[in-house]
Amino acid sequence: ASQVSLDRVEDLSVYIGQKFTCQVQRIDRRGKGNVVLSRRDLLAVERKEKAEKLKKTLTEGQVVDGVVRKIMPYGVFVDLGGLDGLLHASDITHERGMLMGEKAIAKHVTEGQPIKVQVLKVDLENNRISLGLKQLSEDPFQAAMSEIVEGAELNGRVVRFAEFGAFVEVAKGVEGLVHISEIEYRRIGHASDVLKVLKVDPGTRKISLSIKALKAAPEAPAGGPGGP
């Protein structure tokens, strides 16, 4: 099993019916005369030849095809055809917050999956190639900025609560915060899905929302502060 591939193969049955070019490692002429073969060394030579060719053509900004080779807690190693590049967890998706752990990353890519990535940085002296996946798709925050402007009224969906308010999805992949002080004129524990934009900050990628701004403010008590 260790001589079948350059990587560990959990299920060898996937190779049934395939034709391999192998190298004879050992012939045991005793007993039944076992023949030990290896494919690994031939693959290593082939990979080295591809790597040398790829080094001459690989440039930053280039979009290349690869195969997901290994998922790690911090990202994904992608085989570019002779060379491995690292697709860091922060460059996989535009979703808010970085993916943490192999399970979270596996929701977006799987081992053995063909994938198209962009070359972000090439450092052949240190054998480092940085790759990006989210760079090939439009940032949903930037796309939403044409419709989400301060003062606009939006429909949204409450996706999670926090002690300080509620997060509302106002566009695919775009969330805004309804602070607890902006939900109602009195403190309440739940939010509506009708929101008003108070502030849009593209620099910090934050959107402030309000529900109470859509409602009439309660009238002040007769006499005001200090009155009867």
Side-chain angles (χ1 to χ4, degrees):
S2 64
Q3 298 301 316
V4 173
S5 174
L6 293 174
D7 300 313
R8 181 177 178 178
V9 180
E10 299 290 344
D11 182 12
L12 293 173
S13 66
V14 297
Y15 293 121
I16 293 177
Q18 293 190 29
K19 292 183 178 181
F20 285 162
T21 299
C22 300
Q23 188 176 50
V24 178
Q25 281 194 323
R26 186 174 70 253
I27 299 177
D28 186 355
R29 301 185 185 282
R30 299 171 298 174
K32 296 182 179 180
N34 291 329
V35 180
V36 179
L37 306 175
S38 173
R39 178 172 174 255
R40 182 184 178 91
D41 291 344
L42 297 178
L43 292 176
V45 172
E46 180 182 350
R47 180 175 174 81
K48 186 176 181 180
E49 292 175 350
K50 289 182 178 179
E52 292 304 317
K53 292 180 181 179
L54 190 58
K55 287 179 181 179
K56 298 177 182 179
T57 60
L58 203 61
T59 58
E60 294 180 7
Q62 184 180 6
V63 177
V64 295
D65 292 316
V67 177
V68 176
R69 187 173 184 184
K70 184 69 175 177
I71 295 177
M72 305 296 288
Y74 50 83
V76 178
F77 283 106
V78 179
D79 183 0
L80 303 178
L83 293 174
D84 280 351
L86 175 62
L87 174 58
H88 194 268
S90 61
D91 288 308
I92 293 178
T93 177
H94 288 292
E95 289 182 7
R96 186 179 178 86
M98 190 174 74
L99 301 176
M100 301 295 290
E102 297 176 40
K103 290 184 178 179
I105 294 175
K107 293 180 180 179
H108 297 271
V109 294
T110 57
E111 292 184 6
Q113 172 189 341
I115 190 172
K116 192 178 292 291
V117 291
Q118 185 175 46
V119 180
L120 303 181
K121 188 175 182 180
V122 179
D123 183 0
L124 296 179
E125 291 185 3
N126 296 304
N127 294 317
R128 294 179 180 176
I129 302 173
S130 300
L131 306 173
L133 178 60
K134 72 179 184 181
Q135 287 77 4
L136 299 180
S137 60
E138 188 176 25
D139 185 343
F141 186 91
Q142 295 300 328
M145 287 303 93
S146 61
E147 298 181 3
I148 301 178
V149 295
E150 294 177 15
E153 294 183 10
L154 306 171
N155 288 324
R157 179 174 62 91
V158 176
V159 291
R160 65 184 185 277
F161 290 101
E163 292 182 3
F164 47 83
F167 287 95
V168 178
E169 185 179 53
V170 295
K172 186 176 181 181
V174 180
E175 294 179 6
L177 170 66
V178 184
H179 192 269
I180 192 70
S181 63
E182 296 296 339
I183 293 177
E184 184 56 89
Y185 287 97
R186 58 182 175 81
R187 184 179 179 86
I188 61 173
H190 298 280
S192 170
D193 65 350
V194 180
L195 309 173
K196 182 172 181 179
V197 178
L198 290 184
K199 186 177 181 181
V200 178
D201 189 345
T204 60
R205 301 172 67 87
K206 293 181 179 179
I207 301 173
S208 300
L209 307 171
S210 176
I211 294 173
K212 77 176 188 181
L214 297 176
K215 304 176 181 179
E219 296 182 1

